[in-house]
PDB file of all heavy atoms in Angstrom:
ATOM      1  N   LEU A  97     144.958 104.915  57.254  1.00  0.00           N
ATOM      2  CA  LEU A  97     144.889 104.066  56.175  1.00  0.00           C
ATOM      3  C   LEU A  97     145.450 102.552  56.551  1.00  0.00           C
ATOM      4  O   LEU A  97     144.995 101.607  56.003  1.00  0.00           O
ATOM      5  CB  LEU A  97     145.791 104.663  55.043  1.00  0.00           C
ATOM      6  CG  LEU A  97     145.246 105.865  54.396  1.00  0.00           C
ATOM      7  CD1 LEU A  97     146.166 106.448  53.375  1.00  0.00           C
ATOM      8  CD2 LEU A  97     143.844 105.502  53.701  1.00  0.00           C
ATOM      9  N   VAL A  98     146.549 102.582  57.310  1.00  0.00           N
ATOM     10  CA  VAL A  98     147.083 101.294  57.773  1.00  0.00           C
ATOM     11  C   VAL A  98     146.089 100.532  58.563  1.00  0.00           C
ATOM     12  O   VAL A  98     145.877  99.333  58.370  1.00  0.00           O
ATOM     13  CB  VAL A  98     148.393 101.550  58.562  1.00  0.00           C
ATOM     14  CG1 VAL A  98     148.878 100.211  59.247  1.00  0.00           C
ATOM     15  CG2 VAL A  98     149.482 102.110  57.713  1.00  0.00           C
ATOM     16  N   GLU A  99     145.452 101.182  59.490  1.00  0.00           N
ATOM     17  CA  GLU A  99     144.388 100.560  60.333  1.00  0.00           C
ATOM     18  C   GLU A  99     143.246 100.044  59.456  1.00  0.00           C
ATOM     19  O   GLU A  99     142.773  98.907  59.728  1.00  0.00           O
ATOM     20  CB  GLU A  99     143.873 101.470  61.364  1.00  0.00           C
ATOM     21  CG  GLU A  99     144.939 101.688  62.420  1.00  0.00           C
ATOM     22  CD  GLU A  99     144.492 102.822  63.425  1.00  0.00           C
ATOM     23  OE1 GLU A  99     143.302 103.421  63.239  1.00  0.00           O
ATOM     24  OE2 GLU A  99     145.127 103.146  64.431  1.00  0.00           O
ATOM     25  N   GLU A 100     142.787 100.814  58.529  1.00  0.00           N
ATOM     26  CA  GLU A 100     141.774 100.427  57.650  1.00  0.00           C
ATOM     27  C   GLU A 100     142.062  99.261  56.779  1.00  0.00           C
ATOM     28  O   GLU A 100     141.360  98.316  56.458  1.00  0.00           O
ATOM     29  CB  GLU A 100     141.212 101.507  56.727  1.00  0.00           C
ATOM     30  CG  GLU A 100     140.491 102.667  57.554  1.00  0.00           C
ATOM     31  CD  GLU A 100     140.011 103.754  56.607  1.00  0.00           C
ATOM     32  OE1 GLU A 100     140.336 103.802  55.419  1.00  0.00           O
ATOM     33  OE2 GLU A 100     139.112 104.563  57.089  1.00  0.00           O
ATOM     34  N   ALA A 101     143.432  99.290  56.337  1.00  0.00           N
ATOM     35  CA  ALA A 101     143.883  98.224  55.568  1.00  0.00           C
ATOM     36  C   ALA A 101     143.839  96.898  56.297  1.00  0.00           C
ATOM     37  O   ALA A 101     143.638  95.711  55.776  1.00  0.00           O
ATOM     38  CB  ALA A 101     145.313  98.507  54.960  1.00  0.00           C
ATOM     39  N   LYS A 102     144.261  96.952  57.611  1.00  0.00           N
ATOM     40  CA  LYS A 102     144.279  95.845  58.465  1.00  0.00           C
ATOM     41  C   LYS A 102     142.796  95.286  58.682  1.00  0.00           C
ATOM     42  O   LYS A 102     142.551  94.136  58.663  1.00  0.00           O
ATOM     43  CB  LYS A 102     144.912  96.145  59.838  1.00  0.00           C
ATOM     44  CG  LYS A 102     146.297  96.366  59.832  1.00  0.00           C
ATOM     45  CD  LYS A 102     146.812  96.698  61.134  1.00  0.00           C
ATOM     46  CE  LYS A 102     148.417  96.817  61.201  1.00  0.00           C
ATOM     47  NZ  LYS A 102     148.886  97.275  62.517  1.00  0.00           N
ATOM     48  N   LEU A 103     141.845  96.272  58.798  1.00  0.00           N
ATOM     49  CA  LEU A 103     140.496  95.942  59.058  1.00  0.00           C
ATOM     50  C   LEU A 103     139.763  95.382  57.872  1.00  0.00           C
ATOM     51  O   LEU A 103     139.031  94.325  57.864  1.00  0.00           O
ATOM     52  CB  LEU A 103     139.759  97.064  59.637  1.00  0.00           C
ATOM     53  CG  LEU A 103     140.121  97.566  61.084  1.00  0.00           C
ATOM     54  CD1 LEU A 103     139.283  98.821  61.435  1.00  0.00           C
ATOM     55  CD2 LEU A 103     139.866  96.520  62.036  1.00  0.00           C
ATOM     56  N   TYR A 104     139.920  96.094  56.711  1.00  0.00           N
ATOM     57  CA  TYR A 104     139.155  95.755  55.516  1.00  0.00           C
ATOM     58  C   TYR A 104     139.958  95.056  54.347  1.00  0.00           C
ATOM     59  O   TYR A 104     139.502  94.793  53.336  1.00  0.00           O
ATOM     60  CB  TYR A 104     138.546  97.072  54.920  1.00  0.00           C
ATOM     61  CG  TYR A 104     137.716  97.816  55.981  1.00  0.00           C
ATOM     62  CD1 TYR A 104     138.164  99.003  56.577  1.00  0.00           C
ATOM     63  CD2 TYR A 104     136.532  97.243  56.407  1.00  0.00           C
ATOM     64  CE1 TYR A 104     137.483  99.618  57.518  1.00  0.00           C
ATOM     65  CE2 TYR A 104     135.775  97.898  57.402  1.00  0.00           C
ATOM     66  CZ  TYR A 104     136.286  99.104  58.027  1.00  0.00           C
ATOM     67  OH  TYR A 104     135.470  99.772  58.889  1.00  0.00           O
ATOM     68  N   GLY A 105     141.273  94.724  54.726  1.00  0.00           N
ATOM     69  CA  GLY A 105     142.036  94.124  53.746  1.00  0.00           C
ATOM     70  C   GLY A 105     141.479  92.692  53.415  1.00  0.00           C
ATOM     71  O   GLY A 105     141.866  92.099  52.406  1.00  0.00           O
ATOM     72  N   ILE A 106     140.698  92.095  54.334  1.00  0.00           N
ATOM     73  CA  ILE A 106     140.193  90.761  54.173  1.00  0.00           C
ATOM     74  C   ILE A 106     138.803  90.771  53.595  1.00  0.00           C
ATOM     75  O   ILE A 106     138.190  89.677  53.486  1.00  0.00           O
ATOM     76  CB  ILE A 106     140.229  89.992  55.480  1.00  0.00           C
ATOM     77  CG1 ILE A 106     139.249  90.701  56.490  1.00  0.00           C
ATOM     78  CG2 ILE A 106     141.621  89.829  55.956  1.00  0.00           C
ATOM     79  CD1 ILE A 106     139.024  89.830  57.770  1.00  0.00           C
ATOM     80  N   GLN A 107     138.199  91.876  53.100  1.00  0.00           N
ATOM     81  CA  GLN A 107     136.915  91.883  52.642  1.00  0.00           C
ATOM     82  C   GLN A 107     136.617  91.075  51.417  1.00  0.00           C
ATOM     83  O   GLN A 107     135.525  90.415  51.318  1.00  0.00           O
ATOM     84  CB  GLN A 107     136.398  93.371  52.539  1.00  0.00           C
ATOM     85  CG  GLN A 107     137.136  94.188  51.492  1.00  0.00           C
ATOM     86  CD  GLN A 107     136.565  95.646  51.376  1.00  0.00           C
ATOM     87  OE1 GLN A 107     135.744  95.997  52.148  1.00  0.00           O
ATOM     88  NE2 GLN A 107     137.064  96.342  50.464  1.00  0.00           N
ATOM     89  N   SER A 108     137.599  91.082  50.476  1.00  0.00           N
ATOM     90  CA  SER A 108     137.389  90.202  49.316  1.00  0.00           C
ATOM     91  C   SER A 108     137.335  88.754  49.699  1.00  0.00           C
ATOM     92  O   SER A 108     136.407  88.036  49.221  1.00  0.00           O
ATOM     93  CB  SER A 108     138.559  90.386  48.336  1.00  0.00           C
ATOM     94  OG  SER A 108     138.523  91.745  47.904  1.00  0.00           O
TER      95      SER A 108
END
Side-chain angles (χ1 to χ4, degrees):
L97 289 174
V98 171
E99 291 176 353
E100 288 183 350
K102 290 180 179 178
L103 292 175
Y104 304 109
I106 61 171
Q107 61 182 5
S108 296

